[in-house]
Amino acid sequence: MNIIETSKLVKRYKNHTAVDRIDLDVREGEVFGLLGPNGAGKSTLIGMLVGTLKVTEGSVRVLGKDISRDSTAIKQDIGYVPQDLAFFEKLSAYDNVIYWGRLYGLEGPELKSAVQEALEFTGLWDRRKDTSENFSGGMKRRLNIACAIVHKPKLLFMDEPTVGVDPQSRNSILESIRKLNHNGTTVIYTSHYMEEVEAICDRVGIMDFGKLIAVGTIDQLVTETVKEEFATIEINNMSLQLAEAIKRIPGVTRCERNQNVLDIQVNPAIMSTIQLLEMLISKRIDIQAINVEKPTLETVFLTLTGKKLRD
Amino acid sequence: MTVLLNNLKRIFLKPINIVLMIVVPIVLNLMFISIFNAEQMYEVGIIDLDDSKLTASIIEEMKIAANTHEYENDDAVINSALINSTINMAIRFPENYAEDMINGKCPKVEIYAVEENTDSVPLTMLVAAIGTNCGEIGKLCDGDEDKFYDCVEDYLEGTFQTEYNNFDLSKGEQIERAVNSLGYLAMGMMFLMSFATTLLLEDKMSRVYSRILTTPTTRASYLLQHLLSYVIVAAVQVVLIISLLPVIMDGQLSFGDSFGVTLQVMLVTLIFATACIAIGLTVSRFSKNNVVAGAFIGLVNLPVLMLGGCMWPRDLMPEGLQRVGDFVPTTWFLKAAEEVLYENGLGAAWKELALLGGLAAILITVSFLVETDDKC
């Protein structure tokens, strides 16, 4: 079942189209990564999905309901972790989570137990009485999450929840997301850290210039997007003539020499990296080392957008 | 009510807010009222060419309201002292002043003052009155010096008595003072307006506002709770200040002779406060940051306070400015308060109250209904 369905979704500001005819399905129970360079339209898309931005054209169904008609009911079951630390720094961690719990309609013993659960889940229960302005960056990030999960949402939007935290806190946050997902929460996750997306996301959507240019599992995206193979080969007694000769082999699309090392890109439809190596060995080329690079999400992103994610 | 309760917590947890909302308006009131109520001591130059018992008595009498300084009979020195404001006026008693008085000739003293300056008027009138009355006593005493001085002594004691009675405030003066005091209180209300702006913008800048909108809380509910929290704060402020000020001023200030009138004054002030809050809410609703909001509030506050008569009486302003002032909420507030203080009831102030309520209603409606995208 799809927990989010958008059809021809458009958001236009005067002459600028921030989101352009997006059809997106997010399945219940998955962690969906949303990637895109700055200004790609990710935040605008999320704004429409959580009901804070009006839709210009198209439709949005969240949790099986139309956002334009049932936004209050939908909001009851979604959580939102913004990129900014959006809570009251002068209040204690406990008071903050109480506040957000009440906004989601929790009261009395149910509220208290939910707050305790959220603070324990994020590892802040022992520091619940401390004013949050005295927290470290990682603790503030965790409090930001606690405020969003106090009501146990079915769908959780997380907009770069690990920005500016140390590796230990990041791991703790990623582990929390896995646990939440394991407990049944569907997560929409945006991040500039490719390794985080690779680590926790089941499927990924890549946005650029307001369009959703690719959606799928990481393996699918790699297979479908990256058509070439990459390898570095270290050769003894490397010469300019040899490098030029390799470059002329059909299927080799790029060959750059750096002293004894060749950076090679081949088109597997014509010749695979293995076939190239076999050919070089049969010609008695003295190969010292080989490194075949596995294409990653970063490669996919670079191929599709022409930019690195942190550009 | 979560937003409302949290707002109250945020407001009252900061001692500085309590100081600004309660203590500062009271201190401002005390300060201004003390300044305006202080007995003005005039600086008077005396050139006593007669040097008699009568002139000594008159000079002694003047000391109730003036600091006297003896001067030589030198026009240049007196002119210089007047021009430099060392003295407000100079009085020259001519030679044989007392003798002429005793003989019923009504001699005149010479009074010198800067022509455009009205500071000397009360003392001039006092000296003129004493001179005229002493002249009448002289005529009646028919040259009997002892009898003349006995009568003058009785007369001057009587003058002192009359002067004392004048210190009692008439009802009009009491109301004028209460209205002035409410003008200073209006400054506190204007502060509340800035405060409303600050909290809402704090929420906007920290993204708490847009995050709240991802919860089931609607924008209208959020804004309504903000509005209500400030109205509650304003109510506390109004009740405390209007109840405490007369006690602190030890009877020199009164917001009505009966509890009913005081209650009406509180109500009028609260309606004005609501209008101020509505202005603040609208500014913060449509401002992108504190700088824009601060600049706008600054631009609104000062002219509205000045034109509305909160800093000085409106009557002192040119006619044109008074007409402009007719369109500012501070004017409506003070006019409504004046009607209520004169015990004409709230009905007499319906026009001003309707204007204040209407302004608040329009601004609140605009804030609530105008659609804007609240980005995450």
PDB file of all heavy atoms in Angstrom, chain A residues 11 13 52-54 75-76 80 84 86 91 95 99 102-103 144 148, chain B residues 2 6 9-10 206-207 211-217 373-376:
ATOM      1  N   LYS A  11       4.095  23.103  -7.860  1.00  0.00           N
ATOM      2  CA  LYS A  11       4.073  24.285  -6.993  1.00  0.00           C
ATOM      3  C   LYS A  11       4.746  25.411  -7.752  1.00  0.00           C
ATOM      4  O   LYS A  11       5.915  25.306  -8.138  1.00  0.00           O
ATOM      5  CB  LYS A  11       4.824  24.023  -5.676  1.00  0.00           C
ATOM      6  CG  LYS A  11       4.838  25.218  -4.738  1.00  0.00           C
ATOM      7  CD  LYS A  11       3.461  25.558  -4.223  1.00  0.00           C
ATOM      8  CE  LYS A  11       3.402  26.905  -3.555  1.00  0.00           C
ATOM      9  NZ  LYS A  11       2.074  27.231  -3.065  1.00  0.00           N
ATOM     10  N   TYR A  13       5.579  29.611  -7.938  1.00  0.00           N
ATOM     11  CA  TYR A  13       5.632  30.940  -7.318  1.00  0.00           C
ATOM     12  C   TYR A  13       5.794  31.947  -8.454  1.00  0.00           C
ATOM     13  O   TYR A  13       6.878  32.022  -9.037  1.00  0.00           O
ATOM     14  CB  TYR A  13       6.820  31.065  -6.372  1.00  0.00           C
ATOM     15  CG  TYR A  13       6.768  30.135  -5.183  1.00  0.00           C
ATOM     16  CD1 TYR A  13       7.533  28.978  -5.157  1.00  0.00           C
ATOM     17  CD2 TYR A  13       5.968  30.421  -4.089  1.00  0.00           C
ATOM     18  CE1 TYR A  13       7.503  28.131  -4.065  1.00  0.00           C
ATOM     19  CE2 TYR A  13       5.932  29.573  -2.992  1.00  0.00           C
ATOM     20  CZ  TYR A  13       6.690  28.430  -2.985  1.00  0.00           C
ATOM     21  OH  TYR A  13       6.662  27.590  -1.909  1.00  0.00           O
ATOM     22  N   THR A  52       1.701  22.320   4.692  1.00  0.00           N
ATOM     23  CA  THR A  52       1.950  23.734   5.025  1.00  0.00           C
ATOM     24  C   THR A  52       2.034  24.600   3.772  1.00  0.00           C
ATOM     25  O   THR A  52       1.972  25.819   3.874  1.00  0.00           O
ATOM     26  CB  THR A  52       3.242  23.908   5.842  1.00  0.00           C
ATOM     27  OG1 THR A  52       4.331  23.391   5.088  1.00  0.00           O
ATOM     28  CG2 THR A  52       3.156  23.209   7.170  1.00  0.00           C
ATOM     29  N   LEU A  53       2.179  23.991   2.618  1.00  0.00           N
ATOM     30  CA  LEU A  53       2.203  24.753   1.369  1.00  0.00           C
ATOM     31  C   LEU A  53       1.002  24.349   0.520  1.00  0.00           C
ATOM     32  O   LEU A  53       0.663  23.166   0.447  1.00  0.00           O
ATOM     33  CB  LEU A  53       3.489  24.460   0.583  1.00  0.00           C
ATOM     34  CG  LEU A  53       4.789  25.048   1.109  1.00  0.00           C
ATOM     35  CD1 LEU A  53       5.925  24.711   0.158  1.00  0.00           C
ATOM     36  CD2 LEU A  53       4.691  26.545   1.285  1.00  0.00           C
ATOM     37  N   LYS A  54       0.405  25.349  -0.099  1.00  0.00           N
ATOM     38  CA  LYS A  54      -0.752  25.047  -0.953  1.00  0.00           C
ATOM     39  C   LYS A  54      -0.271  24.473  -2.281  1.00  0.00           C
ATOM     40  O   LYS A  54       0.738  24.927  -2.838  1.00  0.00           O
ATOM     41  CB  LYS A  54      -1.541  26.326  -1.210  1.00  0.00           C
ATOM     42  CG  LYS A  54      -2.356  26.759  -0.008  1.00  0.00           C
ATOM     43  CD  LYS A  54      -3.337  27.834  -0.374  1.00  0.00           C
ATOM     44  CE  LYS A  54      -4.597  27.216  -0.939  1.00  0.00           C
ATOM     45  NZ  LYS A  54      -5.619  28.215  -1.259  1.00  0.00           N
ATOM     46  N   LYS A  75      -2.492  15.251   9.525  1.00  0.00           N
ATOM     47  CA  LYS A  75      -1.438  15.794  10.392  1.00  0.00           C
ATOM     48  C   LYS A  75      -1.380  15.077  11.745  1.00  0.00           C
ATOM     49  O   LYS A  75      -0.342  15.077  12.400  1.00  0.00           O
ATOM     50  CB  LYS A  75      -1.658  17.298  10.598  1.00  0.00           C
ATOM     51  CG  LYS A  75      -1.286  18.116   9.368  1.00  0.00           C
ATOM     52  CD  LYS A  75      -1.654  19.568   9.545  1.00  0.00           C
ATOM     53  CE  LYS A  75      -1.222  20.392   8.352  1.00  0.00           C
ATOM     54  NZ  LYS A  75      -1.597  21.801   8.508  1.00  0.00           N
ATOM     55  N   GLN A  76      -2.508  14.521  12.145  1.00  0.00           N
ATOM     56  CA  GLN A  76      -2.542  13.785  13.403  1.00  0.00           C
ATOM     57  C   GLN A  76      -1.594  12.576  13.368  1.00  0.00           C
ATOM     58  O   GLN A  76      -1.067  12.164  14.393  1.00  0.00           O
ATOM     59  CB  GLN A  76      -3.986  13.306  13.650  1.00  0.00           C
ATOM     60  CG  GLN A  76      -4.246  12.724  15.012  1.00  0.00           C
ATOM     61  CD  GLN A  76      -4.138  13.777  16.104  1.00  0.00           C
ATOM     62  OE1 GLN A  76      -4.754  14.832  16.021  1.00  0.00           O
ATOM     63  NE2 GLN A  76      -3.325  13.493  17.113  1.00  0.00           N
ATOM     64  N   TYR A  80       7.136  15.530  11.904  1.00  0.00           N
ATOM     65  CA  TYR A  80       8.032  16.297  11.036  1.00  0.00           C
ATOM     66  C   TYR A  80       9.259  16.736  11.838  1.00  0.00           C
ATOM     67  O   TYR A  80       9.139  17.427  12.839  1.00  0.00           O
ATOM     68  CB  TYR A  80       7.276  17.504  10.481  1.00  0.00           C
ATOM     69  CG  TYR A  80       8.143  18.446   9.683  1.00  0.00           C
ATOM     70  CD1 TYR A  80       8.764  18.025   8.513  1.00  0.00           C
ATOM     71  CD2 TYR A  80       8.346  19.764  10.096  1.00  0.00           C
ATOM     72  CE1 TYR A  80       9.563  18.879   7.779  1.00  0.00           C
ATOM     73  CE2 TYR A  80       9.138  20.625   9.371  1.00  0.00           C
ATOM     74  CZ  TYR A  80       9.753  20.180   8.209  1.00  0.00           C
ATOM     75  OH  TYR A  80      10.548  21.034   7.496  1.00  0.00           O
ATOM     76  N   ASP A  84      16.001  22.743  10.913  1.00  0.00           N
ATOM     77  CA  ASP A  84      16.317  23.665  12.014  1.00  0.00           C
ATOM     78  C   ASP A  84      15.884  23.052  13.340  1.00  0.00           C
ATOM     79  O   ASP A  84      15.007  22.193  13.375  1.00  0.00           O
ATOM     80  CB  ASP A  84      15.564  24.977  11.815  1.00  0.00           C
ATOM     81  CG  ASP A  84      15.891  25.614  10.491  1.00  0.00           C
ATOM     82  OD1 ASP A  84      16.923  26.247  10.377  1.00  0.00           O
ATOM     83  OD2 ASP A  84      15.072  25.423   9.549  1.00  0.00           O
ATOM     84  N   ALA A  86      13.749  23.297  15.789  1.00  0.00           N
ATOM     85  CA  ALA A  86      12.506  24.043  15.995  1.00  0.00           C
ATOM     86  C   ALA A  86      11.830  23.627  17.298  1.00  0.00           C
ATOM     87  O   ALA A  86      10.869  22.851  17.305  1.00  0.00           O
ATOM     88  CB  ALA A  86      11.576  23.836  14.809  1.00  0.00           C
ATOM     89  N   LEU A  91      13.037  26.248  27.387  1.00  0.00           N
ATOM     90  CA  LEU A  91      12.295  25.241  28.156  1.00  0.00           C
ATOM     91  C   LEU A  91      13.134  23.972  28.310  1.00  0.00           C
ATOM     92  O   LEU A  91      14.070  23.733  27.538  1.00  0.00           O
ATOM     93  CB  LEU A  91      10.989  24.892  27.453  1.00  0.00           C
ATOM     94  CG  LEU A  91       9.951  26.015  27.263  1.00  0.00           C
ATOM     95  CD1 LEU A  91       8.684  25.454  26.641  1.00  0.00           C
ATOM     96  CD2 LEU A  91       9.615  26.693  28.575  1.00  0.00           C
ATOM     97  N   ASP A  95       9.562  19.652  29.062  1.00  0.00           N
ATOM     98  CA  ASP A  95       8.500  20.610  28.741  1.00  0.00           C
ATOM     99  C   ASP A  95       8.311  20.749  27.236  1.00  0.00           C
ATOM    100  O   ASP A  95       7.192  20.939  26.748  1.00  0.00           O
ATOM    101  CB  ASP A  95       8.797  21.983  29.363  1.00  0.00           C
ATOM    102  CG  ASP A  95       8.551  21.986  30.858  1.00  0.00           C
ATOM    103  OD1 ASP A  95       7.905  21.040  31.338  1.00  0.00           O
ATOM    104  OD2 ASP A  95       9.016  22.919  31.542  1.00  0.00           O
ATOM    105  N   TYR A  99       4.934  19.861  25.256  1.00  0.00           N
ATOM    106  CA  TYR A  99       4.299  20.874  24.394  1.00  0.00           C
ATOM    107  C   TYR A  99       3.869  20.262  23.062  1.00  0.00           C
ATOM    108  O   TYR A  99       2.728  20.394  22.632  1.00  0.00           O
ATOM    109  CB  TYR A  99       5.280  22.025  24.175  1.00  0.00           C
ATOM    110  CG  TYR A  99       4.789  23.106  23.241  1.00  0.00           C
ATOM    111  CD1 TYR A  99       3.969  24.134  23.708  1.00  0.00           C
ATOM    112  CD2 TYR A  99       5.143  23.133  21.896  1.00  0.00           C
ATOM    113  CE1 TYR A  99       3.528  25.139  22.868  1.00  0.00           C
ATOM    114  CE2 TYR A  99       4.700  24.131  21.045  1.00  0.00           C
ATOM    115  CZ  TYR A  99       3.893  25.134  21.533  1.00  0.00           C
ATOM    116  OH  TYR A  99       3.447  26.121  20.693  1.00  0.00           O
ATOM    117  N   ARG A 102       1.079  17.721  23.363  1.00  0.00           N
ATOM    118  CA  ARG A 102      -0.247  18.347  23.524  1.00  0.00           C
ATOM    119  C   ARG A 102      -0.778  18.848  22.186  1.00  0.00           C
ATOM    120  O   ARG A 102      -1.975  18.777  21.918  1.00  0.00           O
ATOM    121  CB  ARG A 102      -0.156  19.512  24.505  1.00  0.00           C
ATOM    122  CG  ARG A 102      -0.115  19.062  25.942  1.00  0.00           C
ATOM    123  CD  ARG A 102      -0.444  20.217  26.879  1.00  0.00           C
ATOM    124  NE  ARG A 102      -0.418  19.744  28.247  1.00  0.00           N
ATOM    125  CZ  ARG A 102       0.356  20.254  29.196  1.00  0.00           C
ATOM    126  NH1 ARG A 102       1.159  21.263  28.937  1.00  0.00           N
ATOM    127  NH2 ARG A 102       0.327  19.772  30.417  1.00  0.00           N
ATOM    128  N   LEU A 103       0.126  19.389  21.362  1.00  0.00           N
ATOM    129  CA  LEU A 103      -0.326  19.875  20.048  1.00  0.00           C
ATOM    130  C   LEU A 103      -0.905  18.725  19.213  1.00  0.00           C
ATOM    131  O   LEU A 103      -1.739  18.947  18.344  1.00  0.00           O
ATOM    132  CB  LEU A 103       0.825  20.535  19.289  1.00  0.00           C
ATOM    133  CG  LEU A 103       1.290  21.905  19.792  1.00  0.00           C
ATOM    134  CD1 LEU A 103       2.382  22.458  18.887  1.00  0.00           C
ATOM    135  CD2 LEU A 103       0.143  22.906  19.844  1.00  0.00           C
ATOM    136  N   ASN A 144      14.997  17.339  18.884  1.00  0.00           N
ATOM    137  CA  ASN A 144      14.213  17.703  17.697  1.00  0.00           C
ATOM    138  C   ASN A 144      13.415  16.489  17.196  1.00  0.00           C
ATOM    139  O   ASN A 144      12.261  16.622  16.782  1.00  0.00           O
ATOM    140  CB  ASN A 144      15.181  18.177  16.599  1.00  0.00           C
ATOM    141  CG  ASN A 144      14.614  19.308  15.755  1.00  0.00           C
ATOM    142  OD1 ASN A 144      13.716  20.020  16.187  1.00  0.00           O
ATOM    143  ND2 ASN A 144      15.141  19.466  14.556  1.00  0.00           N
ATOM    144  N   ALA A 148       9.045  15.143  17.473  1.00  0.00           N
ATOM    145  CA  ALA A 148       8.285  14.713  16.287  1.00  0.00           C
ATOM    146  C   ALA A 148       7.706  13.311  16.418  1.00  0.00           C
ATOM    147  O   ALA A 148       6.812  12.948  15.665  1.00  0.00           O
ATOM    148  CB  ALA A 148       9.181  14.780  15.053  1.00  0.00           C
TER     149      ALA A 148
ATOM    150  N   THR B   2      -2.656  24.929  24.285  1.00  0.00           N
ATOM    151  CA  THR B   2      -1.229  24.667  24.517  1.00  0.00           C
ATOM    152  C   THR B   2      -0.371  25.881  24.191  1.00  0.00           C
ATOM    153  O   THR B   2       0.516  26.263  24.969  1.00  0.00           O
ATOM    154  CB  THR B   2      -0.788  23.470  23.645  1.00  0.00           C
ATOM    155  OG1 THR B   2      -1.706  22.407  23.850  1.00  0.00           O
ATOM    156  CG2 THR B   2       0.594  23.016  23.992  1.00  0.00           C
ATOM    157  N   ASN B   6       1.689  28.105  26.936  1.00  0.00           N
ATOM    158  CA  ASN B   6       3.134  28.177  26.740  1.00  0.00           C
ATOM    159  C   ASN B   6       3.590  29.631  26.578  1.00  0.00           C
ATOM    160  O   ASN B   6       4.648  30.025  27.074  1.00  0.00           O
ATOM    161  CB  ASN B   6       3.531  27.358  25.504  1.00  0.00           C
ATOM    162  CG  ASN B   6       5.029  27.217  25.379  1.00  0.00           C
ATOM    163  OD1 ASN B   6       5.690  26.787  26.315  1.00  0.00           O
ATOM    164  ND2 ASN B   6       5.564  27.607  24.244  1.00  0.00           N
ATOM    165  N   LYS B   9       3.747  31.252  29.888  1.00  0.00           N
ATOM    166  CA  LYS B   9       4.939  30.768  30.572  1.00  0.00           C
ATOM    167  C   LYS B   9       6.173  31.528  30.071  1.00  0.00           C
ATOM    168  O   LYS B   9       7.006  31.991  30.850  1.00  0.00           O
ATOM    169  CB  LYS B   9       5.093  29.269  30.264  1.00  0.00           C
ATOM    170  CG  LYS B   9       5.926  28.493  31.235  1.00  0.00           C
ATOM    171  CD  LYS B   9       5.778  27.018  30.885  1.00  0.00           C
ATOM    172  CE  LYS B   9       6.503  26.113  31.811  1.00  0.00           C
ATOM    173  NZ  LYS B   9       6.304  24.707  31.472  1.00  0.00           N
ATOM    174  N   ARG B  10       6.251  31.660  28.747  1.00  0.00           N
ATOM    175  CA  ARG B  10       7.405  32.344  28.149  1.00  0.00           C
ATOM    176  C   ARG B  10       7.458  33.804  28.588  1.00  0.00           C
ATOM    177  O   ARG B  10       8.528  34.362  28.810  1.00  0.00           O
ATOM    178  CB  ARG B  10       7.319  32.294  26.624  1.00  0.00           C
ATOM    179  CG  ARG B  10       7.601  30.915  26.062  1.00  0.00           C
ATOM    180  CD  ARG B  10       7.096  30.787  24.648  1.00  0.00           C
ATOM    181  NE  ARG B  10       7.949  31.418  23.657  1.00  0.00           N
ATOM    182  CZ  ARG B  10       7.600  31.563  22.372  1.00  0.00           C
ATOM    183  NH1 ARG B  10       6.435  31.143  21.959  1.00  0.00           N
ATOM    184  NH2 ARG B  10       8.430  32.120  21.523  1.00  0.00           N
ATOM    185  N   SER B 206      12.662  30.758  14.463  1.00  0.00           N
ATOM    186  CA  SER B 206      13.201  29.467  14.915  1.00  0.00           C
ATOM    187  C   SER B 206      12.500  28.303  14.213  1.00  0.00           C
ATOM    188  O   SER B 206      12.792  27.147  14.510  1.00  0.00           O
ATOM    189  CB  SER B 206      13.015  29.331  16.430  1.00  0.00           C
ATOM    190  OG  SER B 206      11.629  29.281  16.734  1.00  0.00           O
ATOM    191  N   ARG B 207      11.589  28.617  13.303  1.00  0.00           N
ATOM    192  CA  ARG B 207      10.848  27.610  12.524  1.00  0.00           C
ATOM    193  C   ARG B 207       9.852  26.829  13.367  1.00  0.00           C
ATOM    194  O   ARG B 207       9.302  25.838  12.914  1.00  0.00           O
ATOM    195  CB  ARG B 207      11.796  26.631  11.829  1.00  0.00           C
ATOM    196  CG  ARG B 207      12.771  27.300  10.903  1.00  0.00           C
ATOM    197  CD  ARG B 207      12.093  27.672   9.619  1.00  0.00           C
ATOM    198  NE  ARG B 207      13.045  28.278   8.705  1.00  0.00           N
ATOM    199  CZ  ARG B 207      12.765  28.611   7.476  1.00  0.00           C
ATOM    200  NH1 ARG B 207      11.568  28.408   7.007  1.00  0.00           N
ATOM    201  NH2 ARG B 207      13.661  29.157   6.702  1.00  0.00           N
ATOM    202  N   ARG B 211       6.701  24.531  12.006  1.00  0.00           N
ATOM    203  CA  ARG B 211       6.603  23.167  12.531  1.00  0.00           C
ATOM    204  C   ARG B 211       5.230  22.945  13.172  1.00  0.00           C
ATOM    205  O   ARG B 211       4.644  21.868  13.037  1.00  0.00           O
ATOM    206  CB  ARG B 211       7.713  22.934  13.561  1.00  0.00           C
ATOM    207  CG  ARG B 211       7.766  21.500  14.029  1.00  0.00           C
ATOM    208  CD  ARG B 211       8.942  21.213  14.934  1.00  0.00           C
ATOM    209  NE  ARG B 211       9.073  19.785  15.143  1.00  0.00           N
ATOM    210  CZ  ARG B 211      10.086  19.226  15.762  1.00  0.00           C
ATOM    211  NH1 ARG B 211      11.072  19.948  16.213  1.00  0.00           N
ATOM    212  NH2 ARG B 211      10.131  17.931  15.911  1.00  0.00           N
ATOM    213  N   ILE B 212       4.747  23.975  13.883  1.00  0.00           N
ATOM    214  CA  ILE B 212       3.416  23.864  14.509  1.00  0.00           C
ATOM    215  C   ILE B 212       2.353  23.616  13.436  1.00  0.00           C
ATOM    216  O   ILE B 212       1.404  22.862  13.645  1.00  0.00           O
ATOM    217  CB  ILE B 212       3.103  25.127  15.339  1.00  0.00           C
ATOM    218  CG1 ILE B 212       3.934  25.123  16.620  1.00  0.00           C
ATOM    219  CG2 ILE B 212       1.611  25.228  15.672  1.00  0.00           C
ATOM    220  CD1 ILE B 212       3.859  26.379  17.435  1.00  0.00           C
ATOM    221  N   LEU B 213       2.553  24.247  12.278  1.00  0.00           N
ATOM    222  CA  LEU B 213       1.559  24.090  11.211  1.00  0.00           C
ATOM    223  C   LEU B 213       1.572  22.692  10.595  1.00  0.00           C
ATOM    224  O   LEU B 213       0.679  22.344   9.828  1.00  0.00           O
ATOM    225  CB  LEU B 213       1.763  25.154  10.129  1.00  0.00           C
ATOM    226  CG  LEU B 213       1.577  26.594  10.615  1.00  0.00           C
ATOM    227  CD1 LEU B 213       1.715  27.568   9.473  1.00  0.00           C
ATOM    228  CD2 LEU B 213       0.244  26.789  11.311  1.00  0.00           C
ATOM    229  N   THR B 214       2.580  21.886  10.930  1.00  0.00           N
ATOM    230  CA  THR B 214       2.556  20.480  10.477  1.00  0.00           C
ATOM    231  C   THR B 214       1.793  19.600  11.478  1.00  0.00           C
ATOM    232  O   THR B 214       1.616  18.413  11.245  1.00  0.00           O
ATOM    233  CB  THR B 214       3.984  19.903  10.294  1.00  0.00           C
ATOM    234  OG1 THR B 214       4.597  19.772  11.577  1.00  0.00           O
ATOM    235  CG2 THR B 214       4.835  20.756   9.397  1.00  0.00           C
ATOM    236  N   THR B 215       1.379  20.193  12.596  1.00  0.00           N
ATOM    237  CA  THR B 215       0.576  19.461  13.586  1.00  0.00           C
ATOM    238  C   THR B 215      -0.912  19.759  13.310  1.00  0.00           C
ATOM    239  O   THR B 215      -1.213  20.620  12.476  1.00  0.00           O
ATOM    240  CB  THR B 215       0.919  19.902  15.024  1.00  0.00           C
ATOM    241  OG1 THR B 215       0.369  21.196  15.239  1.00  0.00           O
ATOM    242  CG2 THR B 215       2.418  19.943  15.270  1.00  0.00           C
ATOM    243  N   PRO B 216      -1.810  19.104  14.010  1.00  0.00           N
ATOM    244  CA  PRO B 216      -3.236  19.396  13.763  1.00  0.00           C
ATOM    245  C   PRO B 216      -3.643  20.829  14.137  1.00  0.00           C
ATOM    246  O   PRO B 216      -4.766  21.244  13.850  1.00  0.00           O
ATOM    247  CB  PRO B 216      -3.954  18.375  14.656  1.00  0.00           C
ATOM    248  CG  PRO B 216      -2.974  17.276  14.856  1.00  0.00           C
ATOM    249  CD  PRO B 216      -1.641  17.916  14.888  1.00  0.00           C
ATOM    250  N   THR B 217      -2.761  21.584  14.793  1.00  0.00           N
ATOM    251  CA  THR B 217      -3.089  22.975  15.143  1.00  0.00           C
ATOM    252  C   THR B 217      -3.140  23.820  13.866  1.00  0.00           C
ATOM    253  O   THR B 217      -2.171  23.849  13.115  1.00  0.00           O
ATOM    254  CB  THR B 217      -2.018  23.551  16.092  1.00  0.00           C
ATOM    255  OG1 THR B 217      -1.857  22.645  17.179  1.00  0.00           O
ATOM    256  CG2 THR B 217      -2.387  24.921  16.602  1.00  0.00           C
ATOM    257  N   ASP B 373       1.999  31.162   2.159  1.00  0.00           N
ATOM    258  CA  ASP B 373       2.655  29.860   2.252  1.00  0.00           C
ATOM    259  C   ASP B 373       3.607  29.886   3.428  1.00  0.00           C
ATOM    260  O   ASP B 373       4.417  30.800   3.551  1.00  0.00           O
ATOM    261  CB  ASP B 373       3.446  29.575   0.972  1.00  0.00           C
ATOM    262  CG  ASP B 373       2.541  28.975  -0.093  1.00  0.00           C
ATOM    263  OD1 ASP B 373       1.526  28.363   0.278  1.00  0.00           O
ATOM    264  OD2 ASP B 373       2.852  29.127  -1.280  1.00  0.00           O
ATOM    265  N   ASP B 374       3.491  28.913   4.293  1.00  0.00           N
ATOM    266  CA  ASP B 374       4.386  28.841   5.442  1.00  0.00           C
ATOM    267  C   ASP B 374       5.353  27.693   5.210  1.00  0.00           C
ATOM    268  O   ASP B 374       5.071  26.555   5.521  1.00  0.00           O
ATOM    269  CB  ASP B 374       3.579  28.634   6.717  1.00  0.00           C
ATOM    270  CG  ASP B 374       2.585  29.756   6.913  1.00  0.00           C
ATOM    271  OD1 ASP B 374       3.027  30.895   7.102  1.00  0.00           O
ATOM    272  OD2 ASP B 374       1.374  29.503   6.844  1.00  0.00           O
ATOM    273  N   LYS B 375       6.486  28.043   4.592  1.00  0.00           N
ATOM    274  CA  LYS B 375       7.446  27.012   4.181  1.00  0.00           C
ATOM    275  C   LYS B 375       8.022  26.249   5.350  1.00  0.00           C
ATOM    276  O   LYS B 375       8.240  26.815   6.412  1.00  0.00           O
ATOM    277  CB  LYS B 375       8.602  27.679   3.419  1.00  0.00           C
ATOM    278  CG  LYS B 375       8.385  27.718   1.943  1.00  0.00           C
ATOM    279  CD  LYS B 375       9.685  28.060   1.256  1.00  0.00           C
ATOM    280  CE  LYS B 375       9.557  27.908  -0.238  1.00  0.00           C
ATOM    281  NZ  LYS B 375      10.810  28.113  -0.922  1.00  0.00           N
ATOM    282  N   CYS B 376       8.280  24.973   5.128  1.00  0.00           N
ATOM    283  CA  CYS B 376       8.941  24.181   6.167  1.00  0.00           C
ATOM    284  C   CYS B 376      10.413  24.532   6.202  1.00  0.00           C
ATOM    285  O   CYS B 376      10.978  24.871   5.213  1.00  0.00           O
ATOM    286  CB  CYS B 376       8.799  22.713   5.878  1.00  0.00           C
ATOM    287  SG  CYS B 376       7.146  22.139   6.202  1.00  0.00           S
TER     288      CYS B 376
END
